[in-house]
């Protein structure tokens, strides 16, 4: 009984076979079929390699939502060199809530030489090239996001030469924590002092001839400091043409959550508009000499997520490639053989007709009466 049940089961499975086998003796091979098969296998191999490359690659997905976090502090990372001595300048932040954050809360004043060394000039030149490419090709920003924490540091390298020149500039670097509202980070003459109506700087003790707000921004970012990320103002250098010159940067900060295969961080992107002018009260250009960075916080938050093709989708696309090429090449081969057979049949029919006409004329000529000498007479 068990054997009968097995035989019935096997017979049922054979009837359900959707891939019937053709005996080898009935299979006919041809040179054209072999050529088409070779082309099909080569195409499948190339497309499989290309599909595997796409599977290994990833892309960045951008999502936008309203930023609901207004209670946390905003971190500002600063590394600016000003062509004035440290005792002559002061840096601080004043926001719209009339809260002043002094530079003593996290900034370091370091006397340095303003002119860069050869190695530092090469670093700055490469940074300018990257910045120009980022402005032209925005897709490079995705590459920078994916290479964060994996690429080399973007910080200014230390001087490789032991220059005996005395320091003529001041490097202000470090970080500050400010309220998450619009504010103004500025560097101007004199140290900042608290004031009932805001704040002021002790500029009266500094000679007007020593004013020189030529500066270089080696790094400026908001939020968590991520190595490898290049920000819009990194490598910016401005040379003052007058003692009474004001440099203004209007910055819009966008909260950003970054999720890649390497890191998961909360940082901030920003866009910037630059403006500079000479202070001349007689000409109506009022203000204070210095460097002013006025920032505003966007209400939208961007979530940047690195995504890649799932493995099941890769298998489905791979099966589609193999099956599609087999079906397409088989169809094209069948159409080609059909067209060739039609032309060959017409050629054979034409040649057979011409042969039959020739035989018919010969037969008729055999019945033509022969002329003799008697008939001539």
């Amino acid at each position: 009984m068990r054997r009968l049940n097995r035989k019935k089961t096997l017979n049922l499975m054979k009837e359900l076979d959707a891939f019937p086998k053709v005996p080898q003796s009935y299979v006919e091979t041809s040179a054209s079929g072999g050529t088409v098969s070779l082309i099909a296998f080569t195409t499948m191999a190339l497309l499989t390699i290309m599909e595997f490359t796409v599977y290994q690659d990833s892309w960045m997905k951008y999502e936008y939502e309203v930023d609901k976090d207004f209670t946390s502090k905003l971190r500002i990372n600063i590394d600016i060199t000003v062509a004035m001595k440290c005792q002559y300048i002061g840096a601080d932040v004043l926001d719209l809530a009339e809260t002043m954050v002094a530079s003593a809360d996290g900034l370091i004043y370091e006397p340095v030489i303003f002119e860069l060394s050869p190695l530092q000039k090469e670093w700055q030149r490469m940074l300018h090239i990257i910045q120009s490419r980022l402005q032209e090709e925005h897709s490079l920003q995705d590459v920078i996001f994916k290479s964060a924490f994996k690429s080399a540091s973007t910080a200014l390298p230390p001087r490789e030469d032991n220059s005996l020149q005395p320091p003529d500039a001041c490097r202000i670097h470090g970080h500050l924590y400010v309220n998450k509202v619009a504010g103004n980070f500025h560097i101007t003459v004199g140290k900042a002092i608290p004031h009932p109506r805001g704040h002021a700087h002790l500029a009266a003790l500094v000679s007007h001839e020593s004013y020189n707000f030529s500066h270089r921004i080696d790094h400026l970012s908001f939020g968590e400091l991520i190595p490898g990320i290049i920000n819009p103002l990194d490598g910016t250098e401005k040379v003052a043409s007058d003692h009474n010159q004001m440099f203004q940067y209007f910055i819009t900060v966008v909260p950003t959550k970054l999720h890649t295969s390497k890191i998961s961080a909360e940082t901030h992107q920003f866009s910037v508009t630059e403006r500079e002018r000479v202070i001349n009260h007689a000409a109506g250009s009022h203000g204070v000499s210095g460097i002013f960075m006025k920032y505003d916080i966007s209400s939208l938050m961007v979530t940047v997520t690195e995504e890649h093709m799932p493995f099941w989708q890769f298998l489905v696309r791979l099966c589609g490639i193999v099956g599609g090429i087999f079906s397409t090449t088989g169809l094209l081969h069948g159409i080609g053989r059909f067209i060739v057979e039609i032309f060959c049949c017409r050629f054979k029919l034409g040649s057979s007709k011409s042969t039959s006409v020739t035989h018919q004329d010969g037969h008729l000529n055999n019945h033509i009466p022969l002329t003799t000498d008697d008939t001539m007479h």
Side-chain angles (χ1 to χ4, degrees), residues 257-268:
K257 289 184 179 180
L258 183 62
H259 302 287
T260 68
S261 58
K262 300 295 180 182
I263 62 168
S264 180
E266 293 188 7
T267 182
H268 292 72

Side-chain angles (χ1 to χ4, degrees), residues 264-315:
S264 180
E266 293 188 7
T267 182
H268 292 72
Q269 302 179 82
F270 66 90
S271 61
V272 59
T273 302
E274 305 175 13
R275 187 188 176 195
E276 58 182 85
R277 58 189 175 91
V278 176
I279 303 301
N280 188 349
H281 299 287
S285 178
H286 304 291
V288 179
S289 304
I291 304 166
F292 297 85
M293 297 181 179
K294 299 181 180 180
Y295 60 89
D296 194 5
I297 312 297
S298 174
S299 59
L300 290 178
M301 181 175 63
V302 181
T303 302
V304 185
T305 309
E306 183 180 8
E307 294 189 345
H308 60 85
M309 184 188 301
F311 183 69
W312 65 267
Q313 188 175 353
F314 169 69
L315 290 180

Side-chain angles (χ1 to χ4, degrees), residues 37 54 84 101 107 139 146 153 157 207 231 295 333 349 359 374:
S37 299
V54 173
M84 291 181 67
V101 181
L107 296 183
S139 59
K146 288 189 282 187
S153 175
S207 173
N231 296 279
Y295 60 89
H333 182 241
L349 286 173
H359 286 314
D374 297 334

Side-chain angles (χ1 to χ4, degrees), residues 78-128:
I78 303 164
D79 191 350
I80 302 176
T81 302
V82 184
M84 291 181 67
K85 293 184 178 181
C86 293
Q87 62 266 28
Y88 294 158
I89 57 176
D92 59 276
V93 177
L94 185 66
D95 60 24
L96 288 181
E98 298 296 332
T99 303
M100 188 184 79
V101 181
S103 60
D105 295 338
L107 296 183
I108 300 172
Y109 291 76
E110 179 184 351
V112 294
I113 301 173
F114 187 77
E115 186 178 358
L116 297 175
S117 66
L119 179 62
Q120 291 174 330
K121 288 181 180 179
E122 181 64 20
W123 169 87
Q124 189 183 43
R125 186 184 68 85
M126 292 299 298
L127 195 57
H128 287 166

